[in-house]
Amino acid sequence: EVRLVESGGGLVQPGGSLRLSCAASGFTFNTENMNWVRQAPGKGLEWLSYIGKTGEIIFYADSVKGRFIVSRDNVKNSLYLQMNSLRAEDTALYYCARGYGAAWLYDWGQGTLVTVSS
Amino acid sequence: VVTQEPSVTVSPGGTVTLTCGSSTATVTSSHYCYWLQQKPGQAPRTLIYDTSKKFSWTPARFTGSLLGGKAALTLSGAQPEDEADYYCFLSYSSSSNWVFGGGTRLTVL
């Protein structure tokens, strides 16, 4: 069974940092591309970042470019999102999503909630 | 900006088409449009990728296409369980950017 389990969310002050993790199991992690997507409370989905299977190809949305860093550890079967200089508008449920073949968004985790507030 | 109808209502058993437009260009196959379904309190579920391709879990009543310069998701024979938010997702590969539409709330009533 494929599982994507996000963790690391929580309450952080504006300007602070947080590192999210996505633990993957049930598939060969190092053969699949991964994405981070978030959803602010009561709002729509926002694509944040893509990382290729080897970690060499990375893309970011303009809204997080320069503040967020995506990485992966193919030995630990884990995806990460380092979030710096956090703002109130970064408050959201953060999902990791697995690609499969030609499909970028194939499986989804259940998300981890990040709240940026003083 | 990726545009979707904010809300649409369909009768049970009816047919409805949701659309996904781009403010910068006609939507084509090069946008590799995805369609996702999200029910309250649940993670999204991807139904369609690459404009019209389905996954094993995609009900046959959902069809993706290009229609009049937009991407379209047609639901034929709506069921009560299809009531959800639907998001499209477009690739703008020339700028290495990928964008979700604002979503359409589909009511089956």
Side-chain angles (χ1 to χ4, degrees):
Chain A
E1 178 195 4
V2 171
R3 291 196 72 202
L4 297 169
V5 181
E6 301 92 338
S7 62
L11 176 63
V12 61
Q13 292 189 339
S17 298
L18 213 54
R19 189 196 196 204
L20 306 184
S21 300
C22 171
S25 60
F27 66 99
T28 306
F29 183 71
N30 63 9
T31 65
E32 306 299 352
N33 307 318
M34 300 292 294
N35 287 271
W36 285 101
V37 174
R38 70 183 177 186
Q39 186 169 35
K43 302 297 184 182
L45 300 171
E46 180 184 13
W47 171 79
L48 298 179
S49 183
Y50 163 98
I51 184 167
K53 59 192 74 172
T54 65
E56 292 182 352
I57 298 176
I58 289 174
F59 300 116
Y60 296 102
D62 289 343
S63 59
V64 302
K65 199 175 295 182
R67 298 190 300 126
F68 290 11
I69 300 171
V70 64
S71 63
R72 64 189 296 162
D73 185 330
N74 285 347
V75 173
K76 295 183 177 179
N77 290 343
S78 292
L79 173 72
Y80 305 101
L81 187 67
Q82 176 67 42
M83 305 187 297
N84 302 318
S85 304
L86 284 163
R87 309 164 180 166
E89 54 265 36
D90 294 318
T91 294
L93 189 60
Y94 285 72
Y95 295 102
C96 64
R98 162 203 176 197
Y100 181 70
W104 267 35
L105 305 172
Y106 185 78
D107 286 315
W108 293 74
Q110 290 303 304
T112 186
L113 181 62
V114 172
T115 303
V116 184
S117 175
S118 54
Chain B
V1 176
V2 177
T3 57
Q4 297 184 245
E5 298 87 0
S7 64
V8 174
T9 299
V10 61
S11 299
T15 296
V16 64
T17 296
L18 311 183
T19 67
C20 176
S22 173
S23 61
T24 59
T26 298
V27 177
T28 70
S29 58
S30 297
H31 288 93
Y32 302 101
C33 182
Y34 290 65
W35 289 95
L36 298 88
Q37 177 191 66
Q38 187 179 35
K39 297 180 179 180
Q42 296 184 15
R45 182 174 72 148
T46 310
L47 297 178
I48 300 287
Y49 71 104
D50 197 6
T51 304
S52 60
K53 296 178 180 174
K54 300 181 182 182
F55 297 103
S56 59
W57 56 79
T58 306
R61 59 185 180 273
F62 288 96
T63 303
S65 66
L66 295 175
L67 191 66
K70 296 182 178 182
L73 178 70
T74 299
L75 171 58
S76 303
Q79 302 297 311
E81 61 265 30
D82 298 327
E83 190 162 286
D85 292 328
Y86 290 84
Y87 295 92
C88 65
F89 179 64
L90 297 183
S91 164
Y92 292 86
S93 55
S94 60
S95 58
S96 298
N97 197 24
W98 288 261
V99 184
F100 281 100
T104 296
R105 177 149 296 177
L106 180 67
T107 300
V108 181
L109 187 61

